[in-house]
Amino acid sequence: MGGECICVMGRYILRRLLWTLVVILIVTLVTFVIFYVLPSGDPAVRFAGKEPTQQVVAQVRRDLGLNHNVAVQYLLYLKRLVVGDKYGWPGLGFSYTTGGAIAPQLWQRAQITLQLVLGAAVIWMLIGIPVGVYAALKPRSAFDRSSLLVGLVFISTPVFWLGMLLLWLFWATLGWLPGTGYVTFTTDPVAWAGHMLMPWLTLSLAFAAIYARIIRGKMLDTLGEDYIRTARAKGLPERRVVTHHALRASLVPIVTLLAVDIATLIGGTVVVEDVFNLQGLGSWVLYGAQNQDLPITLAVTLVATIAVSLLSLMADVIYAYLDPRVRPR
Amino acid sequence: MSDVLLEIENLHVTFASPHGPIRAVDGLSLRAERGATLGVVGESGSGKSVTFLAAMRLLDPATATVSGRIRLDGVDLLTLPSREMQTVRGPRIGMIFQDPLAALHPLLRVGDQISETLRAHGDISRRDASDRAVAALRRVGIPSPDERARQYPHELSGGMRQRVMIAMALVLEPELLIADEPTTALDTTVEAQILALIDDLRTRIGLGVVLISHSLATVSQVADTVAVMYAGRAIERGPCSDVFGQPQHPYTWGLLDSLPAVDGGHESLTPIPGAPPSLADLPPGCRFGPRCGYRMPACGERVPDLVERHAGHADACILPMDGREGLRRAPIAHPANSEPAP
Amino acid sequence: MTDPAPLIATEGLTKRFPVTRGILFAHTVGAVHAVEDVHLAVRRGRTLGIVGESGSGKSTTGRMIARLIDPTAGTVLLEGTDITRVGGAELRVLRRRIQMVFQDPTGALNPRHTANQIVGAPLRVHHVAGNRAVRVAALLEQVGLSPDLGDRYPHEFSGGQRQRIGIARALALEPDLIVLDEPVSALDVSVQAHILNLLTDLQRAHGMTYIVISHDLGVIRHLADEVAVMYLGRIVERAPAASIAAPFHPYTAALLTAAPGRPGAAHRRRILLPGDPPSPITPPSGCAFHPRCPKARVISGDPNVVPERCRTDAPPLDNLGRGRSVACWSPVATTDDLVGAAEAMSAAPDIARATSD
């Protein structure tokens, strides 16, 4: 029975993994078409940065295999992605506007963005869950109403303005926190956290407000379920009824939502990274767009879309793990 | 032999609503005895489920006002501190519900849901609790209980799920089982199994059972005593064979005459005219008065009390006792045979 | 016995829903045998009752007859004409002749439409000539509702009244046949009786033909002239309503004794079948009832043994005369010995395990 279960689960994960690979393949095809085929003009010139020399263009043409027909170009593009190129893995080439290889930059910046997004996600869940649960336990109470009001303020505050406000308050005025910039965790954990705290808060407050409302709604639905009445009828302490029975059921659907939100934020933290001068993917994509640096734009686009498909795969697997009803039979 | 286990006295349950207070239970008195089955019948809105949710203190105090007395072995449950009430739910009273799929937690294995009950009420190791959960499943006739314990509710059939609910309600060996429409969601042949199981447990372990049902037939199969409820009050109560054999209240007559019989033919049924009153706007006097074919002027004056006529058989009707049976066949006046507008 | 041409008949009606699985692309690996080889016939002005438990295929059969879903095999004949595969304009005409009433009166009515709009909708859709308002008022009156209530919305009515609206809508096009799927199951006892009486009155007044589908033998026997008992997609017994009380199929016998009788009447000893109806995805071999059948154990004399033929061959629906047919290798003569056999089976752990999946 248990072994069979694992086997079935394994088949399910395998199936979802295969589908994710198919989706990623489609993503590479679409990005190839958008970046190489659709725009008019010589792709080699476009990939070579602003005002390239003949030499550089010829170099790019050689590197990207642009002498071949389109189909072969795509296969070469795919091959570079899979096995890497002379600039590292994945093979995304060289940025001629920054004068640096893409791959190593990508990894470094992805790390910073990931720290920013995951940290923010932890904070918004830590705020959203208790606020949502408590509001659901006392609906229409003063707490419920004021949490809604504060939440609305957070949701409607522009992110850059909130960032500036925090900087002005905690850095410029109170001096409690360091200003913009980034310190790696391994160099100095305290400084790392100090530098990340304001970006985390800036990014998470609106989400915290939204998640609190969603969790409140789910909790209210769940608390009306028959099985909650059963849990009380068998004499469980109210605390256990709320945490073990109601919250558990309410959080399961949140998993999918969380995965999608995290995925969209990867490559979508442009404003926060800009305000706090974090060298992540968001500020990179801004640079790429401003300087018409195609290799950078392509790299972030690829990473962001692949992140979405991988995270939705993860969400589906976790959902199936948490909810036996959606498990494959 | 009368060994009163649960005694409800002058119970009132009122819900707040935008249309004014809703009097769901209005002066109800009932008794359930140890080792016997009390059947509570009534149509939707009669207050039968609310009564026992009130006894379990499972109504939301924000919307429901409960007054009166509900004594379990002489102790009033309504005044018990909530911490002590937690030790009543489970160890002393078990409860099962209509739809076992909705009543079981969908994300937890059924064995864990049962052992959780054990662990909440005693110092017992995880392993011992799960062993006892399996034993409880075996006791309610679930085959391969150790495998079933590891399954989730949606993987079981309707009958198995209700057996799981019964196992869970009885795992702490309570004295009283409250079964709220336990077979309504089940197939006919499975319903028969579940009723037989409850009856078997009652005789084997001396359990007191309250069987709440809208189905007179279901109640008549297993109940020792029956209470018929209408608009928040008991209008007839007595030994099962008396209530169904010599029913005394015109509403009980109406219910029985509304039933198509399994062995009946095409003869026209005699339904009760009209519809139950709004609980926010009850008629003066007897609640059944406006629908009653035997109505007298005195019926509108005051709410008739439940009066014991003979040998434990009581009814709340002011019709003279002489020749009531004859009246049943020939109503004085029958109002138009249709439901009025709500 | 004179047997005029039936109004509606089915021949070999079968419905299988595919079961699919696959790693990348789904393929069919099996089928839910919802309905298998159902033969039925109902004469004009009569009522056929189909009784069965969940998964017996009774509702699927009703929906196929009303042409709401397409059968996998078999035919539906309306006055001898094959209507199984008609479509387009012909199907629209057909819809006027066969109507359906559903169990849940709340879910079946559009909450944003008034009673008048709901009852008038079929007249509008089918472009029925004449004064629609007058016709709708007459229909409401026919089902015992005051036409003054016509501009109210479904939520303003009680459950019984909503079911009356559903029936009025079904009557609007003066159909030949109404398929009633659990028409009173969602209603309180006293309201049930009103609706049952209404259905009988309408049939008397208009010579309507009904197919009533229900899990409740009381309701079926009250309304029907003939009863068909379904188990796991097949008809296991057909009999005139008056004689079903003396069943030939052991499943019918169990259903009869399990169904709560009229209170106060003497209780028959119940035949308690072990386990649940099996899955229609993997129906048992031979006679689908054999894993739970007490009669098979009476024959073998051992709760663990089933006669070879019951396990290997599915019994055909045999015509026994007098309108009765049964699909059983060894029809029931007396139900007395079935009670004990069923009890012995419930006590045998292997059977309990095998029948409870």
Side-chain angles (χ1 to χ4, degrees), chain A residues 9 12 315-324 326-327, chain B residues 107 152:
Chain A
M9 202 62 194
Y12 172 72
D316 283 358
V317 172
I318 293 172
Y319 199 130
Y321 173 75
L322 292 177
D323 190 340
V326 302
R327 267 177 222 171
Chain B
L107 309 181
Y152 294 92

Side-chain angles (χ1 to χ4, degrees), chain A residues 11 14-15 18-19 22 329, chain C residues 21-27:
Chain A
R11 279 174 57 100
L14 184 68
R15 193 173 76 215
L18 285 173
W19 271 115
V22 171
R329 269 148 299 162
Chain C
R21 79 192 298 184
I23 296 258
L24 262 188
F25 298 100
H27 55 273

Side-chain angles (χ1 to χ4, degrees), chain C residues 243-328:
Chain C
S243 54
I244 193 82
F248 285 138
H249 199 283
Y251 176 66
T252 315
L255 210 54
L256 275 165
T257 60
R262 205 187 178 89
H267 288 162
R268 279 160 305 202
R269 289 191 65 201
R270 274 177 283 173
I271 303 168
L272 282 182
L273 295 181
D276 305 288
S279 155
I281 299 176
T282 49
S285 64
C287 171
F289 186 57
H290 87 255
R292 302 174 77 201
C293 182
K295 178 71 184 176
R297 277 70 181 186
V298 171
I299 299 166
S300 66
D302 180 341
N304 292 305
V305 178
V306 174
E308 171 86 27
R309 189 153 65 149
C310 298
R311 276 187 285 117
T312 53
D313 301 329
L317 193 63
D318 266 342
N319 192 340
L320 306 178
R322 295 189 182 184
R324 305 204 56 166
S325 18
V326 66
C328 182

Side-chain angles (χ1 to χ4, degrees), chain A residues 105-128:
Chain A
Q105 275 267 353
L106 178 71
W107 290 118
Q108 202 185 339
R109 284 171 176 273
Q111 266 183 35
I112 294 175
T113 296
L114 219 56
Q115 286 166 17
L116 174 63
V117 173
L118 292 181
V122 168
I123 289 178
W124 88 58
M125 291 304 277
L126 282 180
I127 299 173

Side-chain angles (χ1 to χ4, degrees), chain A residues 231-242:
Chain A
R232 292 193 178 122
K234 62 189 191 185
L236 298 189
E238 190 62 20
R239 171 179 285 274
R240 188 168 171 90
V241 173
V242 170

Side-chain angles (χ1 to χ4, degrees), chain A residues 228-235 238, chain B residues 50-61 64 66 78 85 89 95 97:
Chain A
I228 296 301
R229 189 180 56 189
T230 307
R232 292 193 178 122
K234 62 189 191 185
E238 190 62 20
Chain B
V50 171
T51 300
F52 293 93
L53 288 174
M56 289 290 270
R57 297 251 304 264
L58 289 175
L59 296 172
D60 183 358
V66 182
L78 295 182
M85 192 59 211
R89 298 188 204 115
M95 189 160 183
F97 303 96

Side-chain angles (χ1 to χ4, degrees), chain B residues 23 26 231 277-284 287:
Chain B
R23 288 191 274 167
D26 195 28
S278 156
L279 297 173
D281 181 23
L282 290 166
R287 270 80 211 259

